[in-house]
Amino acid sequence: QKEVEQDPGPLSVPEGAIVSLNCTYSNSAFQYFMWYRQYSRKGPELLMYTYSSGNKEDGRFTAQVDKSSKYISLFIRDSQPSDSATYLCAMSAGGGSYIPTFGRGTSLIVHP
Amino acid sequence: NAGVMQNPRHLVRRRGQEARLRCSPMKGHSHVYWYRQLPEEGLKFMVYLQKENIIDESGMPKERFSAEFPKEGPSILRIQQVVRGDSAAYFCASSPGDSPYTFGSGTRLTVV
């Protein structure tokens, strides 16, 4: 079992849809959770950064962490074609061992 | 404030040649990380460096690969005697040590 599991997709949705992207993990020591967005031929850029369980909202994006289920989600409301990208989850135990483990990434396509 | 700068953006090498990839971290960031990305595998950690020190090289192949982050100048990832399997996108990231990474745009290495 991989430490972080993420469905590679592709996930294709119409413009305006609510998108749900998910990752599961096995390491209960993870406390810091991140979502990165990567456009084709570009480097990943940080979208959301959360600590421990709960929700965090930033504009159209909401990150959700459920540590009891070892499950994290990223929701995108009112999706736009410009949201088409690969979304990578990442997580770490934090502290001095801050080298996150990345999921494979989910390819999202938002069509007009 | 320039982001993480990587060069070259594209690098073509013949089998057996050496590849040198450069990374200048963001201003104020003393931690540098190198990752390799293959289409079917996602981002794989290679090495973590601070100035003049390798902190964690657990993801580096034992042979042909080396990395440095000198007191002055950029971090260098060096691949000797390249083989076709080294073809990938190589990403550098930097951080001040207690925050998530900022990634560069990557170097795409093609071995012919």
Side-chain angles (χ1 to χ4, degrees):
Chain A
Q1 183 193 12
K2 286 186 178 179
E3 215 169 8
V4 177
E5 297 275 3
Q6 186 176 13
D7 187 334
L11 176 63
S12 182
V13 301
E15 183 175 355
I18 296 174
V19 175
S20 173
L21 303 163
N22 312 295
C23 288
T24 58
Y25 62 96
S26 57
N27 187 344
S28 57
F30 288 149
Q31 296 193 78
Y32 295 85
F33 304 92
M34 293 140 280
W35 286 95
Y36 285 83
R37 177 176 63 196
Q38 185 176 22
Y39 291 112
S40 181
R41 300 283 182 181
K42 299 288 187 184
E45 58 175 318
L46 182 68
L47 270 182
M48 301 287 279
Y49 175 50
T50 56
Y51 170 73
S52 197
S53 285
N55 292 1
K56 183 175 182 179
E57 189 174 318
D58 184 0
R60 296 185 295 112
F61 298 89
T62 299
Q64 199 170 77
V65 175
D66 182 349
K67 289 187 70 180
S68 62
S69 302
K70 297 189 178 68
Y71 187 89
I72 69 170
S73 300
L74 178 71
F75 297 97
I76 308 174
R77 292 184 299 281
D78 188 26
S79 56
Q80 304 294 312
S82 58
D83 295 327
S84 298
T86 296
Y87 290 80
L88 301 102
C89 64
M91 46 199 80
S92 77
S97 60
Y98 187 75
I99 296 177
T101 301
F102 282 83
R104 268 189 60 184
T106 299
S107 175
L108 171 67
I109 302 167
V110 181
H111 50 88
Chain B
N1 185 14
V4 178
M5 305 301 293
Q6 286 190 252
N7 65 82
R9 291 294 303 274
H10 301 276
L11 182 61
V12 179
R13 284 288 177 267
R14 295 187 184 279
R15 280 177 293 173
Q17 291 185 319
E18 179 180 284
R20 281 186 178 235
L21 288 62
R22 294 175 186 78
C23 169
S24 295
M26 283 186 72
K27 188 176 180 180
H29 288 192
S30 58
H31 300 245
V32 167
Y33 311 80
W34 285 93
Y35 281 76
R36 177 164 60 180
Q37 189 175 42
L38 290 164
E40 302 303 318
E41 297 182 12
L43 273 170
K44 296 298 182 187
F45 167 76
M46 298 182 76
V47 62
Y48 162 33
L49 309 106
Q50 294 181 31
K51 282 288 186 182
E52 299 185 279
N53 287 304
I54 296 174
I55 307 302
D56 184 338
E57 56 181 347
S58 57
M60 285 275 272
K62 293 289 184 274
E63 297 178 357
R64 302 188 298 107
F65 285 73
S66 62
E68 62 177 7
F69 189 16
K71 189 176 180 181
E72 302 290 338
S75 175
I76 306 286
L77 179 67
R78 183 181 176 205
I79 311 172
Q80 295 178 289
Q81 298 175 315
V82 296
V83 300
R84 288 241 170 94
D86 297 332
S87 296
Y90 291 84
F91 289 98
C92 169
S94 72
S95 83
D98 57 355
S99 303
Y101 297 167
T102 300
F103 280 91
S105 293
T107 293
R108 277 152 188 85
L109 172 66
T110 302
V111 180
V112 297

